[in-house]
């Protein structure tokens, strides 16, 4: 059986940053995100009795160091569905990998969705998100649609993502200002292991539940200014924890700071827009749809921005007809 799935990357408003259980990827806290319409990964999985080993092609390349992580994930899925047959896998991103644009989220959610379907097993959305989570934590949030909450939980079965609002709930746009397409030096996986070395991590945990509640509330009320200031605080808190970890992790570049300050300046001049950041130098800028063109025009003036990618809230992982091979 051959199946192809497509899944979006997602951007977290409240971040997954730190783990309670590294092996099962149970996070220290819950998180909230939005699926991104313009950052997509497509994965084709074909089950084939003739294979003695999984055959994996990632964005056209065989046997990269990422192949092992994919094999391990296929083993987990096979274990869940009770089958042993190996698979042929190809993946394709429509954006650069490992630059903090969350390629592991879209990749592992599409992989999980395609593999579950190729092994002809029917699992619930929650079960698929639990499987995806174990491949890459943030990928569990790309399985459900629109605005999504990952319930942190304290066991594998209680750590899953669910939709809190559908894609058409709110007309907001995430403009990604790409300032670098280089591979990041410190992966998120490594970052999660360092958080406990920051003296600020315990302070984060002491107010994280209030933050989660406030963001959900601002989203529910479509209160753009409150939502925006909450996501900026959260983005900077994640950077502060990285910078004070041992060894320190500095994800921002001079170009990142230039964009952040530009956003602040435009806001002072009366344009409502807010930023968030992930574990990388690129900046996500949130605007209400009615202001998108105006903001794009302003951002085009910054020469250090290599590309602007506009995203609206998107559906989660889905099966598509067009195979990659
Ligand atoms: C900063 O999901 O990439 O983007 O579970 O090791 O694959 P692994 O980590 P990953 O971490 C994402 C971290 C983040 C914040 C977020 O998306 O919530």
């Amino acid at each position: 059986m051959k199946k192809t799935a497509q899944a979006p990357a997602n951007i977290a408003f409240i971040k997954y940053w730190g783990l309670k259980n590294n092996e099962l990827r149970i996070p220290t806290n819950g998180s909230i995100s939005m699926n991104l319409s313009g950052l997509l990964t497509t994965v084709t999985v074909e089950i084939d009795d003739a294979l003695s080993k999984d055959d994996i092609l990632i964005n056209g390349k065989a046997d990269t160091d990422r192949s092992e992580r994919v094999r391990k994930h296929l083993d987990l899925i096979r274990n869940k569905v009770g089958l042993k047959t190996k698979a042929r896998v190809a993946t394709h991103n429509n954006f650069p990998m490992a630059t903090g644009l969350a390629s592991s989220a879209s990749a592992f959610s599409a992989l999980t969705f395609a593999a579950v379907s190729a092994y002809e097993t029917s699992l619930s959305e929650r079960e698929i998100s639990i499987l995806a989570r174990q491949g890459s934590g943030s990928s569990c949030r790309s399985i459900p649609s629109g605005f999504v909450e990952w319930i942190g939980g304290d066991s594998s079965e209680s750590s899953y993502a669910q939709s809190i609002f559908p894609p058409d709930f709110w007309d907001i746009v995430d403009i990604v200002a790409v300032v670098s397409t280089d591979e990041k030096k410190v992966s998120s996986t490594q970052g999660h292991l360092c958080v406990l070395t920051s003296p600020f991590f315990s302070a984060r945990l002491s107010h994280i539940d209030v933050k989660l509640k406030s963001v959900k509330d601002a989203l529910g009320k479509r209160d753009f200014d409150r939502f925006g200031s909450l996501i900026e605080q959260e983005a900077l808190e994640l950077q502060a924890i990285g910078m004070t970890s041992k060894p320190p992790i500095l994800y921002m570049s001079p170009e990142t700071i230039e964009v952040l300050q530009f956003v602040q300046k435009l806001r002072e001049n009366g344009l409502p827009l807010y930023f968030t950041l992930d574990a990388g130098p690129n900046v996500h800028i949130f605007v209400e749809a009615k202001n998108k063109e105006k903001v794009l025009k302003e951002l085009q003036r910054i020469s250090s921005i290599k590309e602007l990618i506009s995203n609206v809230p998107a559906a989660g992982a889905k099966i598509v007809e067009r195979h990659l091979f």
Side-chain angles (χ1 to χ4, degrees):
M1 173 69 84
K2 189 198 272 194
K3 288 285 177 180
T4 298
Q6 191 176 66
N10 64 71
I11 180 70
F13 303 143
I14 296 294
K15 315 283 180 182
Y16 149 48
W17 202 230
L19 288 158
K20 261 189 218 159
N21 180 317
N22 299 344
E23 191 53 33
L24 290 171
R25 284 191 157 81
I26 299 173
T28 18
N29 57 270
S31 48
I32 296 176
S33 61
M34 181 183 109
N35 287 334
L36 304 176
S37 63
L39 299 173
L40 302 170
T41 299
T42 304
V43 176
T44 298
V45 176
E46 182 178 31
I47 311 303
D48 186 346
D49 283 328
L51 292 171
S52 57
K53 195 178 173 217
D54 293 316
D55 181 357
I56 295 158
L57 211 58
I58 298 176
N59 273 326
K61 289 198 193 112
D63 283 325
T64 69
D65 44 2
R66 291 188 177 87
S67 312
E68 240 358 87
R69 191 165 165 188
V70 171
R71 269 191 200 103
K72 203 174 150 217
H73 195 58
L74 288 169
D75 283 342
L76 180 93
I77 294 168
R78 282 188 281 256
N79 195 28
K80 169 83 182 171
V81 303
L83 292 167
K84 289 206 159 71
T85 323
K86 302 291 183 200
R88 188 171 293 112
V89 175
T91 82
H92 175 74
N93 283 340
N94 72 343
F95 61 95
M97 268 202 291
T99 55
L101 293 180
S103 61
S104 70
S106 51
F108 278 88
S109 51
L111 172 67
T112 309
F113 211 83
V116 164
S117 175
Y119 281 106
E120 294 178 75
T121 314
S122 110
L123 296 179
S124 66
E125 181 183 274
R126 181 187 296 192
E127 287 172 306
I128 299 173
S129 99
I130 288 171
L131 280 175
R133 186 202 77 229
Q134 294 168 78
S136 170
S138 56
S139 77
C140 74
R141 295 188 311 236
S142 291
I143 300 290
S145 242
F147 298 86
V148 174
E149 177 170 21
W150 174 4
I151 316 273
D154 46 24
S155 64
S156 194
E157 293 312 299
S158 60
S159 187
Y160 61 90
Q162 64 188 18
S163 179
I164 47 176
F165 300 109
D168 62 2
F169 174 75
W170 201 9
D171 249 359
I172 53 175
V173 181
D174 171 23
I175 303 172
V176 187
V178 180
V179 295
S180 167
T181 50
D182 295 344
E183 288 227 3
K184 53 191 177 196
K185 289 182 203 83
V186 186
S187 69
S188 312
T189 306
Q190 284 167 278
H192 293 298
L193 303 178
C194 292
V195 293
L196 287 172
T197 62
S198 164
F200 299 138
F201 191 61
S202 55
R204 168 170 175 74
L205 293 187
S206 71
H207 67 177
I208 194 74
D209 287 340
V210 178
K211 288 180 97 164
L212 283 161
K213 211 166 154 274
S214 308
V215 165
K216 242 202 279 191
D217 188 60
L219 268 175
K221 294 185 173 127
R222 300 186 187 90
D223 182 343
F224 190 68
D225 289 323
R226 183 149 164 260
F227 161 78
S229 60
L230 287 165
I231 67 169
E232 285 198 353
Q233 280 165 21
E234 169 68 355
L236 294 173
E237 187 170 297
L238 181 135
Q239 301 302 317
I241 287 172
M243 285 192 277
T244 50
S245 295
K246 292 180 195 69
I249 316 172
L250 191 57
Y251 285 116
M252 291 186 287
S253 67
E255 293 77 20
T256 312
I257 305 281
E258 187 188 354
V259 177
L260 301 191
Q261 289 181 329
F262 191 70
V263 167
Q264 286 174 333
K265 202 179 94 196
L266 290 179
R267 197 161 63 225
E268 276 160 26
N269 292 342
L271 203 51
L273 75 170
Y274 295 88
F275 64 78
T276 185
L277 299 161
D278 261 347
N282 298 316
V283 184
H284 291 250
I285 299 159
F286 274 86
V287 292
E288 290 165 289
K290 60 179 185 214
N291 290 323
K292 176 184 142 190
E293 292 308 327
K294 221 185 286 170
V295 171
L296 277 174
K297 218 162 149 200
E298 291 287 352
L299 291 168
Q300 273 150 10
R301 292 170 30 202
I302 304 189
S303 60
S304 50
I305 296 179
K306 295 187 192 324
E307 198 184 345
L308 290 163
I309 306 170
S310 294
N311 299 279
V312 295
K318 59 174 190 230
I319 293 295
V320 293
E321 293 307 317
R322 216 161 136 198
H323 300 305
L324 292 175
F325 58 86

